[in-house]
Amino acid sequence: MQLHETLAALQQRHEAIGASVASTPQQMQALELDYHRLLSLHPEHPALLFGLGTIYAQTDRSGAAIALLRQSIDRGSHGPEPWLNMAGAYKNEHKDASAAECYAQALRICERLQRRNDKARRQGKVPPVDPGLLIANRCNALHGMASLYVNAGQPAEVIAWADKALAINPQDRFALWNKALGLLESGRFAEGFRLYDEAGFMTGGVKPPERKVKTYGGLPRWDGLSTGSGPGRTVICYGEQGVGDEIMFASMLPDLMRDCRVIIDCDHRLEAMFRRSFPQAEAVYPTSAWDAPFDWLKDHRVDAWVPMGSLGRYYRPDLAAFPRTPYLMADPAKIAKWREILGPHRGLRVGISWAGGLKKTRFDQRSMELRAWSAILQLPGIEWYSLQYHPQAPDETAQVGAALDVPIHHWGDVVADYEETAGFLASLDLVITVNTSLVHLAGALGVPTWCLTPVMCAWRYQCEGPMPWYGSVEMFRQAQAGEWGPVLEVVRARLAAMAAQQEAA
C-alpha cells in the first residue's frame, strides 16, 4: 500500500473514533501506535506529525501536542487545522494568550481561503476548498475564542464571539453552549437556561459531554410544564454533573414535585440526604452509569425523564425566581454526635476551606495556601475547624497551627462522607471557603457561609452581586485577578467584629 493510502486509512480511523460514542481508549491507543510506526519510517512527514499531535491534544498531553503540531506546520502542514488543535492544547494548559494567537491565525487562514473560494466562484470555477469544511473551521476558531472568556469574568466577550460563530452556523453546538454560559454568568437566566438545556448534550466524541444523557431504556424526555406535568405523571430527575452541581440543582426539585410525581436518581453520596430532605419524592436511587440497566424501573410506572440542570429552563427565568431558602436537612443523629464531640462553645465556631477544584476547573484561580490566612487565624475568640478535603490538609493545618500557636482542628471523618460533613456544618456558626462543593452543601443546609470568589469564577457564582442559589451565602469577591490580600483583609475585619459582638453578648 502506498504511503498516501496508508495515511488516508489512518485519518479515516481517526475521524471515526472521534465521532463514535462507542469508541474506547484502546482504539485510540492502537491508532497512536500505528501513527508512531509510520512516523518512524517518515519522521518529517507533516500529516503524520499533525495526526499524532492531534491524538496527543485529544488525550490531554498538551506539551507534546503543541510541539508536534508546531513541527507539522514548520514541515509544511497547510490550513487552519493545526492551529486550531494547537489552540485547544494551549487552552487545556490555561495558556489563554497563546491559545488566542492560534485561534486568530486559524481565522486569518480561513479568511484567505474564503477569498480564494470567492475568486474561483467569480471565475465560474469549482471552489478549491470544501465550503462546508471552511465553515466548520471558522466556527471552531470563533467558538474557541468564546471559550477562552468563559469563567473569566467577561461574559460579554463570550457572547460576542459565540454570536460571530452563530452568524455563520446557527446550529453550532459549541457556540450555543458557550453563549449559554455567558448568558448565565451575566444573570440572563431565561435565555441562558434555554440554551444550556438545548446545547449541553452531545452524543459522541472522544471527550465526554458537558452533561450526561440517561434515557432509561428509551423513555421520552420531559418537556416541561406544557406537557407531561400533572399529578398523574411520574418523572425521573437525575443528576448529570458533579456533586456540587447536583446539590445546587436539587434546589429546583421541590418545584418539579409540585407538578409531577418524582423519582430522584442522584449521586450515591447524596442518597440518604435526599431521602431525608425530599420525603415527598416517590423514590430516591443512587446514580448508576449512563448505560446501566436501572433494575428499579420495574417497580415504577414512569412517563419521562429530565436532567436536574434542565429544570432551570422551567423554574428559574430570572433572579426573582430563586427562593434562596434552605432545602437540605442534615441527619439529626450526626448533628448531635458532632455537637457532643465539640462540647461547650469557647468562641465562634468557624469552618474553613482554602483550596478547591482540579486543573481543568482552575484550581490555580480558586485556591491559596492556608498560611495566607495567618492574620485571620490569629483573631481571638474563634475556634477553627478545617473542612479541607485534599490529602495534604492534616499536615498543612498542623504546620500552620503550630507556627501561629493556634489550634486548627482537622478530623478526617468530617470530610470523608457527606452525611458527616452536613452534620458537622450544622454545628458551626460560620463557614469561610473558596469555590468548592462545600459552598453548595453549606448553602443548601442554610449554614452562614462566606464565599471567597475569584474574578475568574464559574457562572454559578455570577460576576457580581449575590449568589442566586443560597440566602445564607455571602460573596467576598476579588477586585483583581489573583489578588486575595484585599479579600482576606475584608474577611478579617468582618470576622473580628463578629467575634467581638459574640463575646460582648
Side-chain angles (χ1 to χ4, degrees):
M1 185 180 291
Q2 297 293 320
L3 174 60
H4 71 276
E5 294 174 335
T6 304
L7 184 56
L10 282 178
Q11 292 169 338
Q12 288 174 0
R13 278 174 59 198
H14 198 163
E15 291 175 5
I17 291 170
S20 173
V21 70
S23 61
T24 65
Q26 290 74 23
Q27 288 175 300
M28 187 64 83
Q29 291 166 5
L31 178 68
E32 178 183 337
L33 183 59
D34 288 341
Y35 264 114
H36 273 294
R37 287 170 178 157
L38 201 55
L39 188 64
S40 296
L41 300 174
H42 308 277
E44 297 184 356
H45 197 289
L48 292 171
L49 293 166
F50 167 75
L52 193 56
T54 300
I55 289 176
Y56 283 5
Q58 292 172 326
T59 52
D60 295 324
R61 289 173 285 177
S62 301
I66 292 166
L68 285 168
L69 291 166
R70 181 75 67 177
Q71 191 175 0
S72 79
I73 293 169
D74 293 342
R75 296 297 179 186
S77 282
H78 301 294
E81 291 87 354
W83 294 99
L84 290 170
N85 292 350
M86 192 156 48
Y90 275 123
K91 185 173 72 171
N92 285 344
E93 298 303 314
H94 306 304
K95 299 182 183 298
D96 292 348
S98 295
E101 291 175 5
C102 292
Y103 283 130
Q105 179 62 18
L107 284 171
R108 286 191 287 269
I109 293 172
C110 287
E111 290 167 3
R112 185 168 67 246
L113 295 176
Q114 185 63 56
R115 288 194 295 270
R116 288 176 57 191
N117 275 6
D118 293 342
K119 181 179 179 180
R121 288 192 185 94
R122 289 193 300 269
Q123 296 174 345
K125 299 178 180 178
V126 176
V129 181
D130 179 2
L133 179 61
L134 187 54
I135 288 174
N137 284 330
R138 289 178 65 191
C139 285
N140 286 347
L142 291 168
H143 69 229
M145 287 291 268
S147 72
L148 297 179
Y149 295 97
V150 171
N151 298 344
Q154 301 181 69
E157 289 290 335
V158 179
I159 295 168
W161 281 104
D163 279 341
K164 290 179 181 179
L166 294 171
I168 300 171
N169 177 12
Q171 306 305 316
D172 186 316
R173 192 193 76 83
F174 295 101
L176 291 168
W177 174 251
N178 288 328
K179 184 173 182 178
L181 298 179
L183 290 166
L184 290 172
E185 192 175 340
S186 56
R188 295 164 61 181
F189 294 110
E191 186 181 2
F193 273 128
R194 178 182 65 81
L195 292 182
Y196 186 84
D197 189 32
E198 293 174 356
F201 302 96
M202 58 190 297
T203 56
V206 174
K207 292 197 173 183
E210 288 85 357
R211 304 175 63 197
K212 295 191 292 288
V213 179
K214 297 166 71 172
T215 62
Y216 300 93
L219 286 170
R221 177 172 171 165
W222 185 69
D223 61 355
L225 300 181
S226 61
T227 62
S229 62
R233 308 290 290 181
T234 300
V235 176
I236 299 170
C237 189
Y238 72 91
E240 84 278 0
Q241 298 184 62
V243 69
D245 283 326
E246 197 161 321
I247 292 171
M248 180 182 75
F249 288 135
S251 62
M252 297 181 284
L253 287 173
D255 300 88
L256 181 63
M257 286 186 284
R258 282 192 292 269
D259 292 313
C260 308
R261 289 200 301 263
V262 177
I263 297 171
I264 303 171
D265 183 2
C266 64
D267 188 287
H268 67 92
R269 292 169 288 182
L270 303 175
E271 180 185 3
M273 197 178 309
F274 278 13
R275 287 182 187 275
R276 182 169 56 251
S277 303
F278 304 115
Q280 64 272 50
E282 180 170 315
V284 178
Y285 296 103
T287 298
S288 305
W290 68 271
D291 58 349
F294 305 108
D295 291 336
W296 47 264
L297 275 174
K298 67 180 183 301
D299 299 323
H300 303 273
R301 180 170 178 254
V302 181
D303 299 293
W305 53 267
V306 63
M308 277 189 203
S310 297
L311 298 179
R313 180 176 187 173
Y314 308 109
Y315 296 114
R316 299 294 182 264
D318 51 44
L319 190 60
F322 289 79
R324 306 185 79 230
T325 54
Y327 53 92
L328 293 186
M329 295 174 54
D331 182 350
K334 301 292 186 185
I335 297 174
K337 165 190 167 181
W338 285 109
R339 286 182 178 171
E340 182 178 356
I341 292 172
L342 294 176
H345 268 73
R346 295 175 294 277
L348 277 177
R349 290 177 175 169
V350 181
I352 56 174
S353 178
W354 55 94
L358 305 170
K359 178 182 176 181
K360 179 181 178 181
T361 55
R362 297 312 300 257
F363 176 91
D364 57 325
Q365 295 292 325
R366 296 161 55 177
S367 305
M368 63 190 97
E369 294 183 344
L370 181 58
R371 72 182 71 175
W373 296 47
S374 294
I376 296 173
L377 294 170
Q378 291 175 301
L379 288 171
I382 299 175
E383 301 174 44
W384 296 104
Y385 298 96
S386 165
L387 301 170
Q388 192 59 48
Y389 55 83
H390 65 244
Q392 300 81 18
D395 290 339
E396 191 172 1
T397 53
Q399 292 166 6
V400 172
L404 300 176
D405 194 24
V406 174
I408 306 172
H409 306 283
H410 181 94
W411 286 292
D413 291 350
V414 169
V415 295
D417 177 84
Y418 269 81
E419 286 287 279
E420 297 289 350
T421 307
F424 188 79
L425 290 177
S427 306
L428 300 178
D429 299 308
L430 177 68
V431 171
I432 306 176
T433 177
V434 295
N435 295 177
T436 74
S437 59
L438 184 64
V439 174
H440 302 290
L441 182 57
L445 292 166
V447 177
T449 302
W450 293 356
C451 182
L452 314 186
T453 303
V455 170
M456 300 182 71
C457 63
W459 68 268
R460 302 150 188 82
Y461 301 92
Q462 301 288 278
C463 291
E464 58 185 13
M467 192 175 186
W469 305 91
Y470 315 110
S472 66
V473 174
E474 184 175 354
M475 308 302 288
F476 289 74
R477 297 182 183 275
Q478 282 183 345
Q480 298 291 328
E483 294 187 5
W484 285 114
V487 177
L488 295 175
E489 288 175 10
V490 173
V491 168
R492 184 185 183 281
R494 285 279 303 276
L495 192 58
M498 187 175 176
Q501 183 178 14
Q502 176 157 312
E503 185 176 357

